[in-house]
Coordinates of all heavy atoms in Angstrom, one line a residue:
Chain A
V10 N -79.5 -125.5 -4.5 CA -79.6 -124.3 -5.2 C -79.7 -124.6 -6.7 O -80.5 -124.0 -7.4 CB -78.5 -123.3 -4.8 CG1 -78.6 -122.0 -5.7 CG2 -78.6 -122.8 -3.4
A11 N -78.7 -125.4 -7.1 CA -78.7 -125.8 -8.5 C -80.0 -126.3 -9.1 O -80.3 -126.2 -10.2 CB -77.5 -126.8 -8.8
R12 N -80.7 -126.9 -8.2 CA -82.0 -127.5 -8.6 C -83.2 -126.5 -8.3 O -84.3 -126.9 -8.3 CB -82.3 -128.8 -7.8 CG -81.3 -129.9 -8.2 CD -81.7 -131.3 -7.8 NE -81.5 -131.5 -6.4 CZ -80.3 -131.9 -5.9 NH1 -79.3 -132.1 -6.7 NH2 -80.2 -132.1 -4.6
G13 N -82.8 -125.2 -8.1 CA -83.9 -124.2 -8.0 C -84.5 -124.0 -6.6 O -85.5 -123.4 -6.5
E15 N -85.0 -122.1 -3.6 CA -84.8 -120.8 -3.1 C -84.5 -120.7 -1.6 O -83.7 -119.8 -1.2 CB -86.0 -119.9 -3.4 CG -86.2 -119.7 -4.9 CD -87.5 -119.0 -5.3 OE1 -88.2 -118.4 -4.4 OE2 -87.9 -119.0 -6.5
E19 N -81.3 -118.9 0.2 CA -81.4 -117.9 1.3 C -80.3 -118.3 2.3 O -79.7 -117.4 2.9 CB -82.8 -117.9 1.9 CG -83.8 -117.2 1.1 CD -85.1 -117.0 1.8 OE1 -85.1 -116.7 3.0 OE2 -86.1 -117.1 1.2
Y22 N -77.0 -117.4 1.1 CA -76.9 -115.9 1.2 C -76.5 -115.5 2.6 O -75.6 -114.8 2.9 CB -78.2 -115.2 0.8 CG -78.1 -113.7 0.8 CD1 -77.9 -113.0 -0.4 CD2 -78.3 -113.0 2.0 CE1 -77.7 -111.6 -0.4 CE2 -78.2 -111.6 2.0 CZ -77.9 -110.9 0.8 OH -77.8 -109.6 0.9
D23 N -77.3 -116.1 3.6 CA -77.1 -115.7 5.0 C -75.7 -116.1 5.5 O -75.1 -115.4 6.3 CB -78.1 -116.3 5.9 CG -79.5 -115.6 5.6 OD1 -79.5 -114.5 5.0 OD2 -80.5 -116.3 5.9
G27 N -72.2 -111.9 3.6 CA -71.5 -110.9 4.5 C -70.0 -110.9 4.1 O -69.4 -109.9 4.0
G31 N -68.1 -107.8 2.4 CA -66.9 -107.3 3.1 C -65.7 -107.3 2.2 O -65.0 -106.3 2.1
R34 N -66.2 -104.8 -0.7 CA -66.1 -103.4 -0.2 C -64.7 -103.0 0.0 O -64.3 -101.9 -0.3 CB -66.9 -103.2 1.1 CG -67.5 -101.8 1.2 CD -68.2 -101.5 2.5 NE -67.3 -101.7 3.6 CZ -66.4 -100.7 4.0 NH1 -66.4 -99.5 3.4 NH2 -65.7 -100.9 5.1
E44 N -72.4 -102.8 -2.9 CA -73.7 -103.4 -2.9 C -74.1 -104.0 -4.2 O -74.6 -105.1 -4.3 CB -74.8 -102.4 -2.4 CG -75.1 -102.4 -1.0 CD -76.2 -101.5 -0.7 OE1 -77.4 -101.7 -1.1 OE2 -76.0 -100.5 0.1
Q48 N -74.7 -107.9 -5.2 CA -76.0 -108.4 -5.7 C -75.7 -109.2 -7.0 O -76.2 -110.3 -7.2 CB -76.9 -107.3 -6.0 CG -78.3 -107.8 -6.3 CD -79.3 -106.6 -6.4 OE1 -79.1 -105.5 -5.9 NE2 -80.4 -106.9 -7.1
L52 N -76.4 -113.2 -7.4 CA -77.2 -113.7 -8.5 C -76.5 -114.7 -9.4 O -77.0 -115.7 -9.9 CB -77.6 -112.5 -9.3 CG -78.8 -112.8 -10.3 CD1 -80.1 -113.0 -9.5 CD2 -79.0 -111.6 -11.3
W55 N -76.6 -118.0 -7.8 CA -77.9 -118.6 -8.1 C -77.9 -119.2 -9.5 O -78.3 -120.4 -9.7 CB -79.0 -117.6 -7.9 CG -80.3 -118.0 -8.5 CD1 -80.8 -117.5 -9.7 CD2 -81.3 -118.9 -8.0 NE1 -82.0 -118.1 -10.0 CE2 -82.4 -118.9 -8.9 CE3 -81.3 -119.6 -6.8 CZ2 -83.5 -119.7 -8.7 CZ3 -82.5 -120.4 -6.6 CH2 -83.5 -120.5 -7.6
R56 N -77.5 -118.4 -10.5 CA -77.5 -118.8 -11.9 C -76.6 -120.0 -12.2 O -76.9 -120.9 -13.0 CB -77.2 -117.7 -12.8 CG -78.3 -116.6 -13.0 CD -77.9 -115.5 -13.9 NE -77.5 -116.1 -15.2 CZ -76.3 -116.0 -15.7 NH1 -75.3 -115.4 -15.1 NH2 -76.0 -116.5 -16.9
S59 N -75.1 -124.9 -10.7 CA -74.8 -126.2 -11.3 C -73.4 -126.4 -11.7 O -73.0 -127.5 -12.0 CB -75.8 -126.4 -12.5 OG -75.5 -125.5 -13.5
R60 N -72.6 -125.3 -11.8 CA -71.2 -125.4 -12.3 C -70.3 -125.6 -11.1 O -69.1 -125.8 -11.3 CB -70.8 -124.2 -13.1 CG -71.8 -123.8 -14.2 CD -71.7 -124.8 -15.3 NE -72.9 -124.8 -16.1 CZ -73.0 -124.0 -17.3 NH1 -72.0 -123.3 -17.6 NH2 -74.1 -124.1 -18.0
F61 N -70.8 -125.5 -9.9 CA -69.9 -125.7 -8.7 C -69.4 -127.1 -8.6 O -70.2 -128.1 -8.8 CB -70.7 -125.3 -7.4 CG -70.0 -125.8 -6.2 CD1 -68.8 -125.3 -5.8 CD2 -70.6 -126.8 -5.4 CE1 -68.2 -125.7 -4.6 CE2 -69.9 -127.3 -4.2 CZ -68.7 -126.7 -3.9
P63 N -67.4 -129.6 -6.2 CA -66.8 -129.7 -4.9 C -65.4 -130.3 -4.9 O -64.6 -130.1 -3.9 CB -67.7 -130.6 -4.1 CG -68.6 -131.3 -5.2 CD -68.6 -130.4 -6.4
D64 N -65.0 -130.9 -6.0 CA -63.6 -131.5 -6.0 C -62.6 -130.4 -6.1 O -61.4 -130.6 -5.9 CB -63.5 -132.4 -7.3 CG -64.3 -133.7 -7.1 OD1 -64.6 -134.0 -5.9 OD2 -64.6 -134.3 -8.1
T70 N -65.2 -121.1 -0.9 CA -64.1 -120.7 -1.8 C -64.7 -120.3 -3.2 O -64.3 -119.4 -3.8 CB -63.0 -121.8 -1.9 OG1 -62.4 -121.9 -0.7 CG2 -62.0 -121.4 -3.0
T74 N -64.5 -116.6 -4.5 CA -63.7 -116.4 -5.8 C -64.5 -115.6 -6.8 O -64.0 -114.7 -7.4 CB -63.3 -117.8 -6.4 OG1 -62.5 -118.5 -5.4 CG2 -62.4 -117.6 -7.6
H77 N -64.5 -112.0 -5.5 CA -63.2 -111.3 -5.7 C -63.0 -111.0 -7.2 O -62.6 -109.8 -7.5 CB -62.1 -112.2 -5.3 CG -60.8 -111.5 -5.1 ND1 -59.7 -111.7 -5.9 CD2 -60.4 -110.6 -4.2 CE1 -58.7 -110.9 -5.5 NE2 -59.1 -110.3 -4.5
R78 N -63.4 -111.9 -8.1 CA -63.2 -111.6 -9.5 C -64.1 -110.5 -10.0 O -63.7 -109.6 -10.7 CB -63.5 -112.9 -10.3 CG -62.3 -113.8 -10.3 CD -62.6 -115.1 -11.1 NE -61.4 -116.0 -10.8 CZ -61.4 -117.3 -11.1 NH1 -62.4 -117.8 -11.8 NH2 -60.4 -118.0 -10.8
I81 N -62.9 -107.2 -8.8 CA -61.7 -106.7 -9.6 C -62.2 -106.3 -11.0 O -61.7 -105.2 -11.5 CB -60.7 -107.9 -9.7 CG1 -59.9 -107.9 -8.4 CG2 -59.7 -107.6 -10.8 CD1 -59.0 -109.1 -8.2
Y106 N -60.7 -103.5 9.9 CA -61.9 -104.2 9.5 C -62.7 -104.8 10.6 O -63.8 -105.2 10.5 CB -61.6 -105.2 8.4 CG -60.7 -106.4 8.7 CD1 -61.1 -107.4 9.6 CD2 -59.5 -106.5 8.0 CE1 -60.3 -108.4 9.8 CE2 -58.7 -107.6 8.2 CZ -59.1 -108.5 9.2 OH -58.2 -109.6 9.4
E116 N -62.8 -116.4 14.7 CA -62.1 -116.7 13.5 C -61.3 -115.5 13.0 O -60.2 -115.6 12.6 CB -63.2 -117.1 12.5 CG -62.7 -118.1 11.5 CD -62.2 -119.4 12.1 OE1 -62.5 -119.7 13.2 OE2 -61.4 -120.1 11.4
R117 N -61.9 -114.4 13.0 CA -61.3 -113.2 12.6 C -60.1 -112.8 13.4 O -59.0 -112.5 12.8 CB -62.4 -112.1 12.8 CG -62.0 -110.7 12.2 CD -63.1 -109.7 12.6 NE -64.4 -110.3 12.3 CZ -65.1 -110.1 11.2 NH1 -64.6 -109.4 10.3 NH2 -66.3 -110.7 11.1
Y139 N -55.0 -109.4 -2.4 CA -56.3 -109.9 -2.1 C -57.3 -108.8 -1.7 O -58.4 -108.7 -2.3 CB -56.2 -111.0 -1.0 CG -57.5 -111.9 -1.0 CD1 -57.9 -112.6 -2.1 CD2 -58.3 -111.9 0.2 CE1 -59.0 -113.4 -2.0 CE2 -59.4 -112.7 0.2 CZ -59.8 -113.4 -0.9 OH -60.9 -114.2 -0.8
Y140 N -57.0 -108.1 -0.7 CA -58.0 -107.1 -0.2 C -57.9 -105.8 -1.1 O -58.9 -105.1 -1.2 CB -57.7 -106.6 1.2 CG -57.9 -107.6 2.3 CD1 -57.0 -107.8 3.3 CD2 -59.1 -108.4 2.3 CE1 -57.3 -108.8 4.3 CE2 -59.4 -109.3 3.3 CZ -58.5 -109.5 4.3 OH -58.7 -110.3 5.4
S144 N -53.1 -106.6 -9.2 CA -52.5 -107.8 -9.9 C -51.0 -107.8 -9.3 O -50.5 -106.8 -8.8 CB -52.4 -107.6 -11.4 OG -51.6 -106.5 -11.7
Y145 N -50.4 -109.0 -9.5 CA -49.0 -109.1 -8.9 C -48.0 -108.1 -9.5 O -47.1 -107.6 -8.7 CB -48.6 -110.5 -8.8 CG -48.2 -111.2 -10.1 CD1 -46.8 -111.3 -10.4 CD2 -49.1 -111.8 -10.9 CE1 -46.5 -111.9 -11.6 CE2 -48.7 -112.4 -12.1 CZ -47.4 -112.5 -12.5 OH -47.1 -113.1 -13.6
P146 N -48.1 -107.8 -10.8 CA -47.1 -106.7 -11.2 C -47.4 -105.4 -10.6 O -46.5 -104.6 -10.3 CB -47.4 -106.7 -12.7 CG -48.0 -108.0 -13.1 CD -48.8 -108.4 -11.9
K160 N -44.1 -112.9 -6.4 CA -44.7 -114.2 -6.5 C -44.3 -115.1 -5.4 O -45.2 -115.8 -4.8 CB -44.2 -114.9 -7.9 CG -44.8 -114.3 -9.1 CD -44.8 -115.3 -10.2 CE -43.4 -115.3 -10.9 NZ -43.4 -116.1 -12.2
R164 N -46.7 -116.6 -2.3 CA -46.9 -118.0 -2.0 C -46.4 -118.4 -0.6 O -47.1 -119.1 0.1 CB -46.1 -118.8 -3.1 CG -46.1 -120.3 -3.0 CD -45.6 -121.0 -4.2 NE -45.5 -122.4 -4.0 CZ -44.5 -123.1 -3.5 NH1 -43.4 -122.4 -3.3 NH2 -44.6 -124.4 -3.4
R171 N -51.7 -120.6 5.8 CA -52.4 -121.9 5.7 C -52.1 -122.8 6.9 O -52.9 -123.3 7.6 CB -52.1 -122.6 4.4 CG -52.7 -124.0 4.3 CD -52.1 -124.8 3.1 NE -50.7 -125.2 3.5 CZ -49.8 -125.7 2.7 NH1 -50.1 -125.7 1.4 NH2 -48.6 -126.0 3.1
Chain B
L11 N -46.7 -119.6 -9.5 CA -47.9 -118.8 -9.6 C -49.0 -119.3 -8.7 O -50.1 -118.7 -8.7 CB -48.4 -118.7 -11.0 CG -47.6 -117.8 -11.9 CD1 -48.0 -117.9 -13.4 CD2 -47.8 -116.3 -11.5
T12 N -48.8 -120.4 -8.0 CA -49.9 -120.9 -7.2 C -50.5 -119.9 -6.2 O -51.7 -119.7 -6.1 CB -49.5 -122.2 -6.3 OG1 -48.3 -121.8 -5.6 CG2 -49.3 -123.4 -7.2
V14 N -50.2 -116.5 -6.3 CA -50.7 -115.4 -7.1 C -52.1 -115.8 -7.6 O -53.1 -115.0 -7.4 CB -49.8 -115.0 -8.3 CG1 -50.5 -114.1 -9.2 CG2 -48.5 -114.4 -7.8
V17 N -54.8 -115.8 -4.6 CA -55.3 -114.5 -4.1 C -55.9 -113.7 -5.3 O -56.2 -112.5 -5.1 CB -54.2 -113.7 -3.4 CG1 -53.8 -114.3 -2.1 CG2 -53.0 -113.4 -4.3
G18 N -56.1 -114.4 -6.4 CA -56.7 -113.7 -7.5 C -56.0 -112.5 -8.1 O -56.6 -111.5 -8.5
A19 N -54.6 -112.6 -8.2 CA -53.8 -111.5 -8.6 C -53.2 -111.7 -10.0 O -52.2 -111.1 -10.3 CB -52.7 -111.2 -7.5
T21 N -52.7 -111.2 -14.0 CA -52.9 -110.0 -14.7 C -54.1 -110.0 -15.6 O -54.6 -108.9 -15.9 CB -51.6 -109.6 -15.5 OG1 -51.3 -110.8 -16.2 CG2 -50.4 -109.3 -14.6
E25 N -54.0 -115.2 -18.7 CA -53.0 -115.8 -17.9 C -53.6 -116.8 -16.9 O -53.0 -117.8 -16.6 CB -52.3 -114.6 -17.1 CG -51.0 -115.1 -16.4 CD -50.4 -114.0 -15.5 OE1 -51.1 -113.1 -15.1 OE2 -49.2 -114.1 -15.2
R26 N -54.8 -116.4 -16.4 CA -55.4 -117.3 -15.5 C -55.8 -118.6 -16.1 O -55.6 -119.7 -15.6 CB -56.7 -116.6 -14.9 CG -57.2 -117.2 -13.7 CD -58.3 -116.4 -13.1 NE -59.5 -116.6 -13.8 CZ -60.4 -115.6 -14.0 NH1 -60.2 -114.4 -13.5 NH2 -61.5 -115.8 -14.6
E42 N -51.9 -128.0 -4.0 CA -51.4 -126.8 -3.3 C -52.4 -125.6 -3.5 O -52.7 -125.0 -2.5 CB -50.0 -126.4 -3.8 CG -49.5 -125.2 -3.1 CD -48.0 -124.8 -3.5 OE1 -47.2 -125.7 -3.3 OE2 -47.8 -123.7 -4.0
R44 N -55.5 -125.7 -4.0 CA -56.7 -125.9 -3.2 C -56.5 -125.4 -1.8 O -57.4 -124.6 -1.3 CB -57.0 -127.4 -3.2 CG -58.5 -127.6 -3.1 CD -58.8 -129.1 -2.8 NE -59.9 -129.0 -1.8 CZ -61.0 -129.6 -1.9 NH1 -61.3 -130.4 -2.9 NH2 -61.9 -129.5 -0.9
R47 N -56.2 -121.5 -1.9 CA -57.4 -120.8 -2.1 C -58.3 -120.8 -0.9 O -59.0 -119.8 -0.6 CB -58.2 -121.4 -3.3 CG -57.6 -121.1 -4.6 CD -58.3 -121.8 -5.8 NE -59.6 -121.1 -6.0 CZ -60.7 -121.7 -6.5 NH1 -60.6 -123.0 -6.8 NH2 -61.8 -121.1 -6.8
D48 N -58.3 -122.0 -0.2 CA -59.1 -122.0 1.0 C -58.6 -121.1 2.1 O -59.3 -120.5 2.9 CB -59.2 -123.5 1.6 CG -60.1 -124.3 0.7 OD1 -61.0 -123.8 0.0 OD2 -60.1 -125.6 0.8
T49 N -57.3 -120.9 2.0 CA -56.6 -119.9 3.0 C -57.1 -118.5 2.6 O -57.4 -117.7 3.5 CB -55.1 -120.0 2.9 OG1 -54.7 -121.4 3.1 CG2 -54.4 -119.1 3.9
A50 N -57.1 -118.2 1.3 CA -57.6 -116.9 0.9 C -59.0 -116.7 1.3 O -59.4 -115.6 1.7 CB -57.4 -116.7 -0.6
T51 N -59.8 -117.8 1.3 CA -61.2 -117.7 1.7 C -61.3 -117.3 3.1 O -62.2 -116.5 3.5 CB -61.9 -119.1 1.5 OG1 -61.9 -119.3 0.1 CG2 -63.3 -119.1 2.0
M52 N -60.4 -117.8 4.0 CA -60.3 -117.4 5.4 C -60.2 -115.9 5.5 O -60.7 -115.2 6.4 CB -59.2 -118.1 6.1 CG -59.3 -119.6 6.1 SD -60.7 -120.2 7.2 CE -60.0 -119.8 8.8
L53 N -59.3 -115.3 4.6 CA -59.1 -113.9 4.6 C -60.4 -113.1 4.3 O -60.7 -112.1 4.9 CB -58.0 -113.5 3.6 CG -56.6 -113.9 3.9 CD1 -55.7 -113.5 2.7 CD2 -56.1 -113.3 5.2
A54 N -61.2 -113.7 3.4 CA -62.5 -113.1 3.0 C -63.5 -113.2 4.2 O -64.2 -112.2 4.5 CB -63.0 -113.7 1.8
A56 N -62.8 -113.3 7.2 CA -62.4 -112.4 8.3 C -62.7 -111.0 8.0 O -62.8 -110.2 8.8 CB -60.9 -112.5 8.5
A57 N -63.0 -110.7 6.7 CA -63.4 -109.3 6.3 C -64.9 -109.1 6.2 O -65.4 -108.1 5.8 CB -62.7 -109.0 5.0
A58 N -65.6 -110.2 6.7 CA -67.1 -110.1 6.6 C -67.7 -108.9 7.3 O -67.2 -108.4 8.3 CB -67.7 -111.4 7.2
E59 N -68.7 -108.3 6.6 CA -69.4 -107.2 7.2 C -70.9 -107.5 6.9 O -71.2 -108.1 6.0 CB -69.1 -105.9 6.4 CG -67.7 -105.4 6.7 CD -67.4 -104.2 5.7 OE1 -68.3 -103.4 5.4 OE2 -66.3 -104.1 5.3
P62 N -76.3 -104.3 3.9 CA -77.5 -103.7 4.2 C -78.7 -104.7 4.0 O -78.7 -105.4 3.0 CB -77.6 -102.5 3.2 CG -76.3 -102.4 2.6 CD -75.5 -103.7 2.8
L65 N -80.4 -105.2 0.7 CA -79.7 -106.0 -0.4 C -80.2 -107.4 -0.4 O -80.3 -108.0 -1.5 CB -78.2 -106.0 0.0 CG -77.2 -106.7 -1.1 CD1 -77.3 -106.0 -2.4 CD2 -75.8 -106.7 -0.6
R66 N -80.5 -107.9 0.7 CA -81.0 -109.3 0.8 C -82.4 -109.4 0.1 O -82.6 -110.3 -0.7 CB -81.1 -109.7 2.2 CG -81.5 -111.2 2.4 CD -81.5 -111.5 3.9 NE -81.6 -113.0 4.2 CZ -82.7 -113.7 4.2 NH1 -83.8 -113.1 4.0 NH2 -82.7 -115.0 4.4
R68 N -83.6 -107.3 -2.1 CA -83.5 -107.1 -3.6 C -82.9 -108.4 -4.3 O -83.4 -108.8 -5.3 CB -82.5 -105.9 -3.9 CG -83.1 -104.6 -3.7 CD -82.3 -103.6 -4.6 NE -80.9 -103.6 -4.3 CZ -80.3 -102.9 -3.4 NH1 -81.0 -102.1 -2.6 NH2 -79.0 -103.0 -3.2
Q72 N -84.8 -110.7 -7.1 CA -84.2 -110.9 -8.4 C -84.0 -112.4 -8.7 O -84.2 -112.9 -9.9 CB -82.9 -110.2 -8.5 CG -82.5 -109.8 -9.9 CD -81.1 -109.1 -10.0 OE1 -80.5 -108.8 -8.9 NE2 -80.7 -108.9 -11.2
V73 N -83.6 -113.2 -7.7 CA -83.4 -114.6 -7.9 C -84.7 -115.2 -8.3 O -84.7 -116.1 -9.2 CB -82.9 -115.2 -6.5 CG1 -83.4 -116.7 -6.4 CG2 -81.4 -115.1 -6.4
R74 N -85.8 -114.8 -7.7 CA -87.1 -115.4 -8.0 C -87.5 -115.2 -9.5 O -88.2 -116.0 -10.1 CB -88.2 -114.8 -7.2 CG -88.9 -115.8 -6.3 CD -89.6 -115.2 -5.1 NE -88.8 -115.2 -3.9 CZ -88.7 -114.1 -3.1 NH1 -89.2 -113.0 -3.4 NH2 -87.9 -114.2 -2.1
T76 N -85.1 -115.1 -12.0 CA -84.0 -115.4 -12.9 C -83.8 -116.8 -13.1 O -83.8 -117.6 -12.2 CB -82.7 -114.8 -12.2 OG1 -82.8 -113.4 -12.0 CG2 -81.5 -115.0 -13.1
Q78 N -81.9 -120.3 -14.2 CA -80.6 -120.8 -13.9 C -80.0 -121.5 -15.1 O -80.7 -122.0 -16.0 CB -80.7 -121.8 -12.7 CG -81.1 -121.1 -11.4 CD -81.4 -122.2 -10.3 OE1 -82.3 -122.9 -10.3 NE2 -80.4 -122.2 -9.4
L79 N -78.7 -121.6 -15.1 CA -78.0 -122.3 -16.1 C -78.1 -123.8 -15.9 O -78.0 -124.2 -14.8 CB -76.5 -121.9 -16.2 CG -76.1 -120.5 -16.5 CD1 -74.6 -120.4 -16.6 CD2 -76.8 -120.1 -17.9
P80 N -78.2 -124.5 -17.0 CA -78.2 -126.0 -16.8 C -76.7 -126.4 -16.5 O -75.8 -125.6 -16.8 CB -78.6 -126.5 -18.2 CG -78.2 -125.4 -19.1 CD -78.4 -124.1 -18.4
P81 N -76.5 -127.6 -16.0 CA -75.1 -128.1 -15.8 C -74.4 -128.2 -17.1 O -75.1 -128.4 -18.2 CB -75.3 -129.4 -15.1 CG -76.7 -129.9 -15.4 CD -77.5 -128.6 -15.7
P103 N -80.1 -130.7 -12.8 CA -78.6 -130.9 -12.7 C -78.3 -132.2 -12.1 O -79.0 -132.8 -11.3 CB -78.2 -129.8 -11.8 CG -79.4 -129.4 -11.0 CD -80.5 -129.6 -11.9
V106 N -73.3 -133.6 -8.4 CA -72.0 -133.1 -8.9 C -71.0 -134.2 -9.1 O -70.3 -134.2 -10.1 CB -71.5 -132.0 -8.0 CG1 -70.3 -131.3 -8.7 CG2 -72.5 -131.0 -7.7

Side-chain angles (χ1 to χ4, degrees):
Chain A
V10 172
R12 294 193 283 276
E15 290 172 16
E19 284 188 41
Y22 183 97
D23 291 340
R34 211 183 64 80
E44 264 188 64
Q48 191 173 341
L52 196 69
W55 164 258
R56 283 182 55 245
S59 64
R60 311 287 160 95
F61 165 66
D64 292 340
T70 295
T74 300
H77 196 251
R78 284 181 188 167
I81 285 174
Y106 62 67
E116 209 57 21
R117 186 184 314 264
Y139 195 63
Y140 290 136
S144 69
Y145 71 99
K160 284 202 280 189
R164 178 168 177 266
R171 177 193 71 193
Chain B
L11 282 170
T12 51
V14 167
V17 292
T21 48
E25 189 185 25
R26 198 172 75 211
E42 178 174 304
R44 211 192 135 128
R47 285 178 76 207
D48 285 343
T49 305
T51 296
M52 298 289 288
L53 291 177
E59 290 172 34
L65 183 62
R66 188 176 192 277
R68 279 206 308 272
Q72 205 182 354
V73 152
R74 241 163 262 134
T76 304
Q78 295 174 287
L79 293 186
V106 191

